[in-house]
């Protein structure tokens, strides 16, 4: 072969590569224009669509891509363009974190794992034709994962239904501007003012969360509004998570600040006067924070999967497939389970579901005995934290996940657990978002 | 030649057979032990990559990063020596190594699971942990 021939061959090869790039580039472009996702998937094992880009949905997308070696096309539909972490958001109320410390983009996880991302809102789910309709397009799926988080049940507290009412009386139970709003109201509260908050009847998102919130508000009050207090109206008969630890913290660290009242369900709210009504009391607040009762997020309701008390979704704990709809899986806070609705739990469920889907789409059996861990930290002030940790194991007889022996809680709040809680956040954010 | 120099007496022959038998048994037992060890080792290698153990291992990611590649502050499990992993976990399990949280996990796991996790993490490639960059919350974020 002469030098000239070699050059020509190289040129030809280069031209060929260039042409191929143009072709694949243009098909990519057209795929972006109409998503190309209303047609059957070209991926070897098909397409999984995931509704919801929170802890559960994003984790499922990443691990399906990883464990299928990219052989399953994965599409996430998320209406927000940013991920705002609920874990650590109570620290925004205490003042040791800003909401911007907890806000992230999806760029890295999308790029690193080849996840297709649609920033849109689901308006309809047709299970019979396997089609999702959004405000700006349609998508078909081979398997669907619904990871919508929670929805508030305003039929129980109709006076809080409007956006205006929620500005006056924030829930701050989905992190974002609601959290910022509540912090601003706390900062504007006069010394001697009363902060009233509630704990909804379990199950709800993040069992220790309301008690952690009471501590964070109290830690701010203790330093900046020493004549003020926090009244906690708990719909439950007792503190339902880390009870011994929170009781001790309420009585010692925040003696005279936190006034904890069990079995005090909120029955109504007068928004204008920030007055809360319970079976026993009518309490006026300077700042009122009402966390409404919750149910599975709206997309789960659209698909009609919230069959337990019309609130939560019943699933098979080997696959997280809905008991009502084949090829449709539900993960995270929407699941009906004797498991805490925590971020770590959402990611653990997401990985079991992802692993099962990767096996099922290859015609294999999923793991018949999943085991996973859950660790949940709560900050009692700006630097000390406490934990609850358990291993959960599938019980073949009961067909549910059961806490293994050996789990438990901290002996007391410590600085070192505050550091571990920070490391937990750094690691789970890195795992979910990169 | 005396008979007793080369024993063909009935009882003597029996002893000889018995010895031969023992040699054979011992040899086969030692082969069996070696085979068993190889089998256990290969079953650990296989089981480490099953959906069961990859999912359990992945649930450690909340504190120890994807595939054990932790952010600063927590132990990096990726590429950790399997014996070291097992020894530490067993020490958490029996309380001989004090812990704030790890004893609550170690006690919930059985020894087989600890061995499989040790092997799984020892095979993971060590890569730098990447932190996502935090950003300003946009004005149009919906809550």
């Amino acid at each position: 072969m002469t030098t000239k021939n070699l050059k020509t061959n190289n040129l030809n090869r280069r031209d060929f590569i260039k042409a191929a790039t143009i072709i694949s580039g243009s098909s990519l472009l057209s795929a972006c224009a109409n998503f190309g996702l209303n047609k059957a998937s070209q991926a070897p094992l098909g397409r999984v669509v995931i509704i919801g880009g929170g802890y559960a949905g994003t984790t499922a997308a990443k691990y399906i891509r990883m464990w299928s070696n990219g052989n399953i096309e994965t599409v996430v539909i998320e209406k927000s363009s940013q991920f705002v972490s609920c874990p650590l958001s109570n620290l925004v109320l205490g003042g040791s974190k800003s909401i911007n410390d907890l806000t992230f983009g999806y760029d890295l996880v999308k790029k690193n794992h080849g996840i297709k991302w649609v920033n849109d809102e689901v308006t309809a789910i047709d299970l019979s034709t396997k089609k999702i309709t959004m405000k700006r397009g349609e998508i078909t799926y081979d398997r669907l994962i619904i990871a919508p988080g929670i929805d508030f049940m305003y039929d129980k507290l109709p006076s809080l239904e409007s956006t205006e009412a929620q500005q006056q009386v924030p829930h701050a139970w989905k992190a974002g501007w609601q959290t910022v709003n509540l912090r601003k109201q706390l900062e504007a509260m006069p010394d001697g003012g009363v902060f009233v908050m509630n704990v909804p009847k379990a199950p709800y998102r993040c069992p220790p969360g309301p008690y952690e919130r009471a501590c964070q508000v109290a830690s701010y009050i203790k330093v900046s509004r020493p004549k003020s207090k926090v009244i906690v109206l708990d719909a439950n008969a007792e503190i339902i998570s880390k009870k011994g630890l929170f009781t001790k913290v309420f009585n010692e660290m925040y003696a005279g600040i936190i006034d904890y009242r069990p079995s005090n369900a909120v029955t109504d709210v007068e928004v204008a006067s920030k007055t809360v009504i319970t079976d026993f009391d009518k309490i006026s607040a300077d700042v009122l924070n009402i966390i409404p009762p919750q149910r599975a997020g709206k997309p789960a309701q659209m698909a009609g999967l919230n069959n337990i008390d019309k609130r939560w979704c019943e699933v098979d704990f080997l696959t997280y497939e809905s008991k009502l709809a084949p090829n449709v899986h539900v993960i995270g806070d929407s699941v009906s389970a004797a498991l805490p609705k925590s971020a770590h739990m959402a990611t653990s469920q997401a990985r079991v579901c992802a692993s099962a889907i990767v096996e099922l789409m290859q015609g294999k059996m999923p793991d018949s005995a999943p085991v996973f861990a859950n660790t949940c930290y709560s900050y009692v002030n700006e630097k000390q934290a406490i934990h609850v940790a358990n291993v959960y194991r599938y019980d073949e007889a009961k067909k549910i996940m059961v806490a293994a022996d050996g789990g438990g809680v901290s002996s007391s709040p410590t600085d070192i657990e505050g550091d571990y809680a920070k490391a937990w956040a750094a690691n789970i954010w890195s795992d979910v978002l990169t | 030649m005396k008979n007793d120099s080369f024993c063909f007496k009935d009882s003597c022959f029996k002893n000889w057979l018995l010895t031969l038998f023992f040699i054979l048994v011992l040899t086969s037992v030692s082969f069996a032990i070696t085979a068993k060890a190889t089998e256990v080792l290969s079953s650990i290698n296989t089981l480490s990559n099953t959906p069961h153990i990859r999912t359990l291992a992945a649930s450690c990611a909340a504190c120890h990063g994807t595939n054990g590649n932790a952010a600063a502050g927590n132990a990096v499990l990726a590429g950790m020596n399997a014996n070291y992993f097992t020894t530490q976990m067993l020490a958490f399990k029996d309380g001989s190594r004090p812990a704030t949280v790890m004893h609550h996990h170690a006690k919930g796991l059985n020894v087989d699971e600890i061995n499989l996790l040790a092997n799984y993490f020892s095979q993971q490639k060590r890569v730098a942990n990447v932190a996502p960059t935090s950003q300003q919350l946009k004005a149009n974020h919906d809550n």
Side-chain angles (χ1 to χ4, degrees):
Chain A
M1 195 186 275
T2 64
T3 316
K4 198 183 165 196
N5 280 343
L6 194 69
K7 258 186 188 165
T8 318
N9 276 351
N10 273 351
L11 261 180
N12 284 346
R13 190 184 297 156
R14 216 179 291 146
D15 285 349
F16 173 76
I17 291 168
K18 207 163 130 193
T21 313
I22 290 166
I23 291 162
S24 67
S26 66
S27 70
L28 258 183
L29 272 179
S30 68
C32 290
N34 61 12
F35 298 126
L37 297 172
N38 50 356
K39 297 191 180 75
S41 176
Q42 299 297 307
L45 298 175
R47 177 189 297 145
V48 174
V49 172
I50 300 167
I51 301 176
Y55 278 97
T58 311
T59 301
K62 167 174 168 170
Y63 279 84
I64 287 174
R65 293 292 296 168
M66 271 172 48
W67 287 338
S68 73
N69 295 314
N71 286 315
I72 296 175
E73 183 187 7
T74 306
V75 184
V76 174
I77 308 171
E78 166 56 49
K79 63 178 178 167
S80 301
S81 63
Q82 292 179 304
F83 177 101
V84 190
S85 175
C86 276
L88 264 58
S89 67
N90 278 329
L91 297 189
V92 176
L93 304 178
S96 60
K97 285 276 177 199
S98 148
I99 198 72
N100 299 325
D101 298 329
L102 315 179
T103 303
F104 302 95
Y106 290 108
D107 295 355
L108 285 176
V109 71
K110 282 194 281 193
K111 194 181 73 185
N112 291 349
H113 302 284
I115 301 165
K116 292 186 178 163
W117 208 272
V118 184
N119 187 195
D120 204 342
E121 193 173 340
V122 172
T123 54
I125 300 169
D126 188 336
L127 298 178
S128 60
T129 58
K130 295 186 165 185
K131 193 171 82 179
I132 313 287
T133 309
M134 298 163 293
K135 283 185 172 164
R136 296 186 296 274
E138 288 177 355
I139 290 183
T140 58
Y141 60 83
D142 296 304
R143 280 185 183 270
L144 174 65
I145 300 177
I146 304 186
I150 49 157
D151 178 41
F152 296 119
M153 297 168 72
Y154 286 116
D155 53 329
K156 306 281 182 202
L157 293 167
S159 64
L160 290 176
E161 183 128 36
S162 72
T163 310
E164 295 72 34
Q166 290 160 34
Q167 294 299 312
Q168 293 284 308
V169 180
H171 53 75
W173 214 240
K174 293 182 184 180
W177 291 114
Q178 277 277 311
T179 318
V180 175
N181 174 341
L182 189 56
R183 168 66 187 176
K184 283 185 178 158
Q185 290 199 26
L186 178 59
E187 284 177 301
M189 185 173 79
D191 197 8
V194 179
F195 184 105
V196 179
M197 63 171 289
N198 75 314
V199 186
K201 191 141 185 76
Y204 57 85
R205 164 181 278 179
C206 190
Y211 310 108
E212 180 193 56
R213 173 167 294 181
C215 293
Q216 286 302 313
V217 172
S219 78
Y220 172 80
I221 283 175
K222 194 174 179 177
V223 176
S224 306
R225 298 289 185 278
K227 291 178 195 150
S228 290
K229 63 175 182 174
V230 185
I231 298 175
V232 182
L233 302 171
D234 196 338
N236 302 287
E238 56 178 21
I239 293 173
I240 61 157
S241 178
K242 305 171 186 167
K243 185 188 167 191
L245 289 159
F246 278 121
T247 303
K248 198 165 185 293
V249 169
F250 287 3
N251 293 337
E252 292 174 11
M253 198 179 287
Y254 301 120
I257 299 175
I258 293 181
D259 173 359
Y260 173 73
R261 303 180 187 179
S263 302
N264 260 263
V266 174
T267 54
D268 202 1
V269 175
E270 290 171 15
V271 175
S273 60
K274 292 190 180 167
T275 302
V276 58
I277 295 145
T278 71
D279 285 336
F280 312 102
D281 273 318
K282 194 170 176 179
I283 305 162
S284 288
D286 292 277
V287 180
L288 182 54
N289 168 215
I290 298 296
I291 305 164
Q294 297 147 34
R295 63 186 163 200
K298 285 203 170 70
Q301 298 170 40
M302 275 179 209
L305 303 182
N306 51 325
N307 61 326
I308 304 295
D309 304 329
K310 294 184 182 170
R311 289 175 75 185
W312 311 108
C313 305
E314 189 182 8
V315 298
D316 176 340
F317 289 101
L318 298 181
T319 57
Y320 290 83
E321 191 167 36
S322 164
K323 292 280 195 176
L324 303 185
N327 302 313
V328 182
H329 305 250
V330 184
I331 52 174
D333 293 346
S334 287
V335 169
S336 172
L339 297 170
K341 296 185 188 298
S342 76
H344 191 172
M345 185 58 70
T347 62
S348 286
Q349 293 180 355
R351 295 190 205 90
V352 173
C353 175
S355 179
I357 283 178
V358 169
E359 296 306 296
L360 289 167
M361 289 179 86
Q362 295 177 88
K364 295 182 191 166
M365 290 297 288
D367 179 14
S368 60
V371 181
F372 54 62
N374 181 60
T375 306
C376 162
Y377 287 100
S378 306
Y379 277 95
V380 298
N381 54 29
E382 75 285 3
K383 60 179 181 180
Q384 293 184 313
I386 53 180
H387 78 262
V388 57
N390 276 295
V391 168
Y392 292 87
R393 199 178 288 283
Y394 185 72
D395 184 310
E396 277 182 43
K398 296 179 187 157
K399 301 197 184 308
I400 55 169
M401 297 301 292
V402 174
D405 289 341
V409 299
S410 314
S411 43
S412 64
T414 56
D415 288 12
I416 188 157
E417 289 222 58
D419 291 341
Y420 282 136
K422 244 181 229 140
W424 176 94
N427 279 291
I428 200 167
W429 291 337
S430 167
D431 184 45
V432 175
L433 296 165
T434 72
Chain B
M1 193 183 270
K2 283 180 179 172
N3 270 348
D4 57 352
S5 70
F6 202 85
C7 186
F8 276 110
K9 272 195 287 190
D10 203 33
S11 63
C12 203
F13 184 64
K14 271 183 188 157
N15 280 342
W16 185 79
L17 268 182
L18 213 61
T19 312
L20 190 67
F21 177 75
F22 273 120
I23 289 168
L24 279 172
V25 165
L26 279 174
T27 316
S28 63
V29 162
S30 84
F31 269 122
I33 288 170
T34 319
K36 185 74 188 161
T38 318
E39 191 185 305
V40 166
L41 203 67
S42 83
S43 87
I44 282 182
N45 277 320
T46 316
L47 283 174
S48 293
N49 292 312
T50 60
H52 178 69
I53 208 67
R54 79 179 172 202
T55 314
L56 172 55
S59 88
C60 307
C63 294
H64 295 280
T66 305
N67 295 331
N69 284 293
N74 284 350
V76 174
L77 305 180
M80 183 180 271
N81 177 281
N83 285 334
Y84 181 78
F85 181 99
T86 303
T87 313
Q88 298 310 307
M89 286 295 278
L90 293 178
F92 286 133
K93 195 174 167 70
D94 68 17
S96 56
R97 178 172 168 180
T100 57
V101 66
M102 275 312 299
H103 56 305
H104 288 143
H105 292 302
K107 285 177 181 172
L109 297 169
N110 60 42
V111 176
D112 285 347
E113 286 162 344
I114 288 172
N115 284 327
L116 290 168
L117 283 171
N119 197 57
Y120 181 90
F121 282 120
S122 73
Q123 292 172 4
Q124 300 307 308
K125 206 172 105 187
R126 227 171 238 227
V127 294
N129 180 284
V130 177
T133 315
S134 58
Q135 51 184 239
Q136 294 277 318
L137 180 63
K138 289 178 189 164
N140 65 357
H141 190 83
D142 73 348
N143 76 72

